[in-house]
């Protein structure tokens, strides 16, 4: 009884806190908060000179139960902006958990192109009923219902639908594409085009667990953001007619609000559930990859709690999709894989991809590309694919890449780049010390850990020779001390904070044409590289462009040294278990386990010594791609970059001390020109905090480098052959060219 009273008291305090916060907002004291939101929308429409637009602020969408799948129905709420003349028009849908009244404002310019706009709160968010399930199967079903059943029956709809939006809204598009109606030929009946910005394909590997390591920086922050937005008063407080809420509206709003607040512990449990450390159905059913046309070898086979036919459908090959992403985005891997695998059988005229020099926030806004920011490029895509206006502007070169180092855009025919555009290349890790860079403090401070990266290893890269005898050179050793973590003074911390710290420098470079990157701490990795192992080439004699993903293959053995303050650690674990009464707490398991967190960075070293991070890769030692029949060896079935390979993520194999293991770390895709006079560097550390939850066990990790264990960086370099086109003005190209 006392516990129940305590919970009621806490709930009351939380409600009062949120009420006080919202009461302090401008205009709240004089009118309902939701009226402020509706007024903001109305003012934005008026300011944009969108003539004859009618706003249906709270449109109820009754999604029925689906008896075949066991998915319960739900009442969703949407805001519709439509043309007053009553004509039937195509509708652009935005599905969001980030408050429809906010997201809708971003896409008002589409009204000028003759489209209706419909933004709805996904179940469990905003004003929509139900519990938020973050990309779970019911959300896929809801989107399919809105597209194929609700919108086509409205008097303002001509039955044709498109979808638009970044991040969550982009992912929702890929999920919806697997649930839509198709005709006998497999063509979508109503959904005619998608424009997902910065989307993911694999929930587990793209965002939650990088190489089996828990994402600590983005996921908790993001879950908290959605919970806070869900705890805001529903827009339904404004009522359904003329923005005047009735008693029934108010009662329903409080019910929705209460449900949202009660769901907060559920999202917390996702983090604390130890079962979610390994890849499982919880993640797969939230991933767009289940709707890719190619399926795993044995198909998708989910548990009884999921719809029986989940994952059996595919994104229609005739559904046009225009993807965008960023080289420093949190979803770089997902965007590239969605194009390569999700759109594998699409005709070249029905798919497009654009990857810029963006972090997540910059990519969401299309920063530096005016046509993305003001929706002119999406409008052109929709006009072509939805309205049928012949305008094949992405037909010849459906892929637009920002080539870093050259700092300009290039149009390509495909991704990955065609075989005639690339060649395989390899650099090897050496035991020889790297040549110092004149005037570079890092060459002195990290001299003991700074080794060479060579084109082809020779005897002196591994051995010393005296007369006819040769001896092993001292092996590079990576020491991990959880009191001294790598990661915070680097691009990593900025990247997994969605690029928020970099907004000013990105805006300066991309919008004002003034590059101040060199002044930003995350644009120089040297401070973070101190005490890491670094392998650096000599000065390059010519430009080298690396495009696509990379792998670092190496052998290492580990010695776990003294437990760090074991008594204190045990005390902390006991308190966590006592406080939360959780036997399988994720963090308890993470703190206790003996592991190594391999963090690999590819850096572009300038003549002055500045080291600019280009891309990174991560791998937990226990998630190495091991042979199921011999855990000491690499799995013969493993193929680098195979998105369906998940054996090691579902059944990790802890390492044993003193044993030599082979590791393959996959680095995320990139496209960078290492200019003549620059150097290529591989940095190897054992932590990436605050991005990743750190390993608490200290360790000494020895790299094994010899004739039988040649550690190598494998990648593709770009040639000048094949079909491609350099683009001088990306806005002019995407908005003006026709073929």
């Amino acid at each position: 009884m006392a516990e129940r009273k305590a919970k009621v008291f806490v709930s009351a305090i939380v409600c009062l806190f949120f009420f006080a916060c919202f009461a302090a907002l401008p205009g709240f004291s004089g009118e309902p908060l939701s009226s402020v939101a509706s007024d903001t929308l109305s003012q934005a429409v008026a300011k944009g000179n969108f003539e004859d637009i009618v706003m249906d602020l709270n449109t109820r969408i009754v999604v029925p139960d689906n008896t075949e799948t066991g998915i319960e129905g739900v009442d969703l709420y949407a805001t519709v902006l439509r043309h007053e003349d009553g004509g039937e028009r195509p509708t652009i849908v935005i599905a969001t958990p980030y408050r429809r009244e906010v997201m809708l404002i971003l896409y008002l310019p589409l009204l000028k192109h003759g489209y209706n706009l419909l933004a709805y709160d996904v179940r469990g968010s905003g004003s929509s009923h139900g519990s938020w399930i973050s990309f779970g199967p019911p959300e896929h079903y809801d989107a399919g219902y809105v597209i194929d059943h609700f919108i086509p029956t409205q008097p303002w709809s001509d039955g044709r639908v498109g979808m638009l939006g970044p991040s969550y809204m982009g992912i929702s598009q890929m999920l919806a594409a697997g649930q839509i109606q198709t005709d006998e030929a497999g063509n979508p009946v109503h959904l005619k085009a998608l424009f997902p910005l910065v989307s993911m394909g694999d929930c587990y590997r793209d965002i939650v667990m990088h190489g089996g390591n828990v994402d600590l920086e983005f996921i908790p922050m993001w879950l908290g953001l959605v919970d806070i937005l869900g705890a805001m008063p529903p827009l339904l407080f404004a009522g359904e007619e003329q923005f005047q809420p009735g008693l029934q509206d108010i009662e329903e709003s409080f019910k929705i609000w209460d449900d949202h607040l009660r769901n907060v512990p559920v999202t917390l449990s996702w983090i604390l559930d130890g079962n979610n450390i390994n890849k499982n159905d919880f993640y797969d059913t939230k991933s767009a990859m289940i709707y890719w046309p190619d399926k795993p070898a044995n198909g998708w086979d989910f548990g009884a709690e999921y719809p029986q036919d989940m994952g059996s459908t595919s994104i229609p090959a005739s559904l046009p999709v225009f993807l965008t992403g960023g080289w420093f985005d949190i979803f770089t891997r997902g965007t590239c894989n969605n194009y390569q695998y999700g759109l594998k059988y699409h005709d070249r005229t029905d798919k497009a991809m654009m990857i810029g020099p963006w972090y997540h926030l910059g990519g969401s806004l299309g920063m530096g590309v005016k046509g993305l920011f003001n929706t002119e490029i999406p409008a052109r895509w929709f006009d072509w694919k939805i309205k049928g206006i012949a305008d094949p502007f992405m037909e010849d070169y459906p892929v637009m890449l920002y080539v870093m180092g050259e700092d300009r855009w290039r149009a390509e025919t495909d991704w990955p780049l065609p075989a005639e555009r690339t060649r395989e290349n390899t650099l090897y890790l050496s035991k020889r010390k790297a040549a110092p860079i004149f005037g570079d403090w890092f060459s002195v401070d990290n001299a003991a850990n700074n080794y060479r990266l060579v084109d082809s290893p020779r005897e002196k890269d591994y051995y010393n020779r005296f007369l006819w005898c040769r001896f092993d050179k001292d092996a590079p050793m990576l020491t991990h001390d959880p009191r001294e973590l790598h990661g915070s003074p680097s691009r990593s911390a900025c990247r997994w904070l969605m690029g928020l710290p970099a907004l000013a420098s990105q805006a300066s470079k991309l919008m004002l044409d003034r590059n101040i990157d060199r002044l930003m701490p995350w644009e120089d990795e040297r401070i973070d590289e101190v005490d890491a192992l670094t392998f650096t080439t000599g000065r390059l004699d010519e430009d080298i462009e690396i495009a696509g993903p990379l792998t670092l293959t190496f052998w290492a053995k580990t010695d776990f040294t003294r437990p760090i303050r074991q008594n204190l650690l045990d005390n902390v674990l006991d308190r966590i278990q006592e406080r939360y009464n959780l036997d399988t707490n994720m963090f308890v398991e993470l703190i206790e386990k003996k592991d190594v967190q391999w963090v690999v960075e590819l850096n572009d070293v300038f003549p002055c010594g500045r080291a600019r991070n280009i891309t990174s890769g991560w791998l937990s030692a226990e998630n190495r791609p091991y042979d199921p029949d011999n855990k000491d060896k690499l799995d013969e079935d493993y193929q680098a970059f195979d998105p369906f390979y998940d054996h090691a993520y579902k059944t990790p194999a802890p390492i044993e001390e003193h044993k030599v293991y082979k590791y393959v770390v996959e680095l995320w895709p990139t496209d960078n020109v290492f200019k003549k006079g620059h150097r290529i560097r591989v940095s190897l550390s054992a932590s990436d905090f605050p991005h990743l939850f750190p390993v608490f066990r200290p360790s000494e990790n020895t790299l094994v480098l010899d004739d039988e264990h040649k550690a190598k960086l494998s990648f593709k370099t770009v040639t000048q052959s094949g079909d491609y086109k350099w683009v001088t003005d990306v806005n002019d190209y995407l908005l003006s060219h026709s073929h």
Side-chain angles (χ1 to χ4, degrees), residues 11 268 316-317 333 343 374 466 490 503 540 578 670 708 713:
S11 298
L268 178 64
R333 178 183 184 272
L343 311 182
N374 65 13
F466 180 74
S490 73
L503 279 179
L540 299 178
E578 179 182 351
T670 189
E708 286 73 42
L713 180 73

Side-chain angles (χ1 to χ4, degrees), residues 87 184 255 270 285 287 362 390 429 471 508 527 632 650 653 662:
E184 293 181 356
K255 174 63 170 62
W270 297 341
T285 55
S287 301
L429 277 57
F471 309 91
S508 176
I527 293 177
D632 299 343
K650 289 186 174 181
K662 184 177 182 179

Side-chain angles (χ1 to χ4, degrees), residues 511-538:
M511 303 176 73
L512 303 178
D513 198 27
R514 183 178 180 184
N515 193 330
I516 58 174
D517 282 354
R518 68 187 186 283
L519 304 176
M520 303 296 109
W522 50 83
E523 288 286 341
D524 191 344
E525 298 293 315
R526 285 179 293 181
I527 293 177
D528 191 54
E529 287 177 330
V530 173
D531 294 329
L533 296 178
T534 56
F535 300 85
T536 312
T537 66

